[in-house]
């Protein structure tokens, strides 16, 4: 049964309800994933641990994804989407329960790892179903909207969490309890709004894949090129983000000013991701836009090194526009990379796996490069990786 037949079997209203449900799940995922940002001091004080121990908490989700991501992709391809999403949020809820009642920090970290595994399963199932439910000429904008809805809570929890703790006198555990309620609500909404028969490939029933069909994702050249390119993007957008504010301070900005200026890249990027997702669908191309995004990212990094502090907004604007298209369109490319719709969750899970492993390894390497060679050489090397990312996409010919 094709995706078009499924769209015929469900009314437009039902499809819109399912899409709205998946967007809501993305928002809930964002609150759960980014909840620690304003809570670090409160957590370290509560458990009496130092920043080194806190690093284990930050990496717990990464390790859960590294260990389980590919298995999740095959599970999602086999199971109905409703079961996969509900199981994911149920596991996240169990992990949150461990954190709420953990007497010792190691149990708190274990709870976070379980929560991260559950969130990974839920969002992978949601993203795969979303990509296969929307028309092919709308996949760019819908994947961008989904990521935006997952990123927006980062800003809300950063600002709102601090306000609730400082002005309302709430503890971080009370805020966590509120997020646990969100997980419960996501489970209820999915139970009501997602049909039990529909799977992440966007169809109601699917034959069991052969061994050759199972392995084809791992033999897809475009898949590996996109994955490698996304490691380079994550190295700049995630790993270097921990250092860029300090570098701005070295260049002469005040600490508060540097943090505020860098936050503009996220705000500009949110609008840019939406705009370039729309442009991608209108022009019928992802590859050219993403290639331009990687090369613009390299230019932005070169500007960061060579322009004076008074012109730092040039970096902010350049990096906050075209390069921010990479995340949304890399996700959207799963529908082009996959040979059949049922491969989409496996393509997504492999991207998560490779990206997490690469980011963890290269983040460590980046720290040593900055320590031994200094910021400027490290930033030039990062600019080089962005160029390599664009070259990878040039050869990913399967993607239009």
């Amino acid at each position: 049964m094709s995706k078009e037949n499924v769209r015929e079997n469900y009314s437009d209203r039902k499809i819109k309800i399912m899409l709205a449900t998946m967007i809501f799940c993305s928002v809930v995922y964002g609150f759960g994933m980014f909840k620690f940002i304003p809570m670090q001091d409160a957590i370290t004080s509560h458990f009496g641990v130092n920043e080194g121990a806190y690093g284990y908490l930050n990496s717990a989700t990464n390790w859960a994804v590294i260990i389980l991501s590919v298995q999740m992709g095959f599970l999602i391809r086999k199971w109905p989407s409703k079961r996969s999403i509900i199981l994911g949020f149920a596991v996240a809820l169990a992990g949150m329960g461990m954190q709420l009642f953990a007497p010792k920090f190691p149990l708190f970290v274990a709870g976070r790892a379980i929560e991260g595994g559950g969130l990974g399963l839920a969002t992978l199932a949601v993203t795969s179903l979303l990509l296969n439910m929307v028309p092919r000429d709308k996949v760019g904008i819908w994947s961008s909207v989904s990521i935006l809805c997952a990123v927006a809570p980062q800003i809300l929890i950063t600002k709102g969490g601090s306000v609730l703790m400082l002005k309302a006198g709430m503890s971080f555990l009370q805020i966590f309890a509120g997020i646990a309620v969100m997980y419960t609500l996501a489970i209820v909404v999915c139970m009501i709004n997602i049909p039990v028969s529909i799977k992440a490939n966007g169809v109601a029933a699917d034959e069991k894949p052969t061994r050759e069909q199972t392995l084809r994702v791992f033999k897809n050249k475009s898949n590996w090129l996109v994955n490698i390119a996304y490691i380079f993007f994550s190295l700049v957008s995630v790993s270097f983000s921990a250092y860029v504010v300090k570098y701005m301070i070295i260049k002469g900005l005040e600490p508060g000013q540097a943090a505020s200026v860098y936050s503009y890249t996220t705000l500009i990027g949110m609008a840019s991701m939406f705009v370039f997702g729309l442009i991608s669908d209108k022009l019928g191309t992802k590859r050219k836009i993403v290639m331009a995004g990687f090369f613009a990212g390299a230019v932005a990094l070169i500007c960061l090194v060579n322009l004076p502090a008074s012109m730092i907004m040039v970096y902010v604007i350049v990096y906050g526009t075209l390069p921010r298209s990479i995340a949304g369109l890399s996700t959207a490319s799963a529908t082009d990379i996959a040979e059949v719709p049922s491969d989409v969750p496996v393509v997504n899970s492999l991207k998560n796996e490779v990206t997490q492993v690469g980011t963890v390894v290269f983040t460590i390497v980046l720290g040593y490069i900055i320590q031994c060679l200094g910021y400027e050489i490290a930033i030039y090397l990062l600019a080089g990786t962005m160029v390599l990312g664009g070259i990878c996409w040039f050869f990913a010919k399967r993607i239009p």
Side-chain angles (χ1 to χ4, degrees), residues 82-233:
K82 182 173 189 171
R83 185 187 300 177
S84 300
I85 298 170
I86 290 175
L87 176 62
F89 280 118
V91 171
L93 185 60
M96 180 69 85
M98 284 184 63
Q99 294 168 73
L100 289 172
F101 298 103
K104 301 291 184 181
F105 189 67
L107 283 176
F108 190 79
V109 174
R112 175 57 173 177
I114 293 171
E115 179 192 21
L119 289 175
L121 175 61
T123 192
L124 187 59
V126 165
T127 302
S128 300
L129 179 58
L130 178 72
L131 292 177
N132 276 323
M133 283 295 294
V134 300
R136 181 59 65 92
D137 62 349
K138 297 291 190 299
V139 71
I141 186 62
W142 274 102
S143 62
S144 297
V145 168
S146 178
I147 293 176
L148 282 174
C149 289
V151 172
Q154 179 178 355
I155 298 174
L156 296 174
I157 196 70
T158 300
K159 302 294 185 182
S162 299
V163 170
L164 290 173
M165 293 175 70
L166 296 176
K167 296 187 177 181
M170 294 179 66
S171 70
F172 74 90
L173 291 174
Q174 289 174 311
I175 297 174
F176 283 13
I179 296 175
V181 172
M182 291 184 182
Y183 292 161
T184 304
L185 185 58
I187 292 172
V188 172
V189 170
C190 289
M191 289 180 67
I192 295 172
N193 293 330
I194 297 180
V196 71
S197 60
I198 198 166
K199 300 177 74 173
N201 59 359
V203 303
D206 193 31
E207 294 183 1
K208 184 177 180 179
T210 64
R211 177 179 173 82
E212 179 62 29
Q213 291 171 330
T214 298
L215 295 176
R216 64 190 163 206
V217 170
F218 300 97
K219 298 178 180 179
N220 190 311
K221 183 180 74 171
S222 292
N223 194 17
W224 287 106
L225 288 169
V226 169
N227 289 339
I228 293 169
Y230 205 78
I231 292 174
F232 297 147
F233 173 69

Side-chain angles (χ1 to χ4, degrees), residues 201-335:
N201 59 359
V203 303
D206 193 31
E207 294 183 1
K208 184 177 180 179
T210 64
R211 177 179 173 82
E212 179 62 29
Q213 291 171 330
T214 298
L215 295 176
R216 64 190 163 206
V217 170
F218 300 97
K219 298 178 180 179
N220 190 311
K221 183 180 74 171
S222 292
N223 194 17
W224 287 106
L225 288 169
V226 169
N227 289 339
I228 293 169
Y230 205 78
I231 292 174
F232 297 147
F233 173 69
S234 296
L235 184 58
V236 175
S237 63
V238 178
S239 304
F240 183 58
S241 64
Y243 301 98
V244 67
V245 173
K246 184 175 181 180
Y247 180 67
M248 288 181 178
I249 295 171
I250 293 172
K251 286 184 72 71
L253 272 65
E254 294 294 327
Q257 182 187 14
S260 178
V261 166
Y262 184 65
S263 70
Y264 294 147
T265 63
T266 301
L267 293 174
I268 296 171
M270 291 177 68
S272 298
M273 192 182 300
F274 179 87
V275 169
F276 285 110
L278 189 61
I279 291 173
S280 169
D281 291 334
K282 292 293 183 183
L283 298 181
T285 180
K286 304 179 187 72
R287 193 158 59 96
K288 293 177 182 178
I289 294 174
V290 174
M291 286 170 54
F294 272 108
F295 294 130
V299 171
L301 290 168
I302 293 171
C303 289
L304 179 63
V305 172
N306 291 282
L307 294 179
S310 60
M311 298 180 65
I312 204 74
M313 285 303 295
V314 173
Y315 159 76
V316 170
I317 292 171
V318 175
Y319 185 65
T321 49
L322 258 172
R324 294 293 179 161
S325 67
I326 295 171
L329 296 185
S330 293
T331 300
S333 70
T335 56

Side-chain angles (χ1 to χ4, degrees), residues 65 69 120 124 227 347-357:
V65 172
S69 187
L124 187 59
N227 289 339
V347 170
N348 285 331
S349 66
L350 185 61
K351 178 169 75 73
N352 289 347
E353 177 84 17
V354 172
T355 302
Q356 290 291 343
V357 172

Side-chain angles (χ1 to χ4, degrees), residues 325-373:
S325 67
I326 295 171
L329 296 185
S330 293
T331 300
S333 70
T335 56
D336 301 302
I337 293 171
E339 296 183 26
V340 294
S342 61
D343 284 346
V344 168
V346 185
V347 170
N348 285 331
S349 66
L350 185 61
K351 178 169 75 73
N352 289 347
E353 177 84 17
V354 172
T355 302
Q356 290 291 343
V357 172
T359 303
V360 168
V361 172
F362 280 106
T363 297
I364 297 172
V365 173
L366 177 62
Y368 280 109
I369 290 174
I370 291 174
Q371 178 181 328
C372 298
L373 302 179

Side-chain angles (χ1 to χ4, degrees), residues 367-382:
Y368 280 109
I369 290 174
I370 291 174
Q371 178 181 328
C372 298
L373 302 179
Y375 273 95
E376 292 191 0
I377 292 178
I379 293 172
Y380 279 122
L381 290 174
L382 289 174

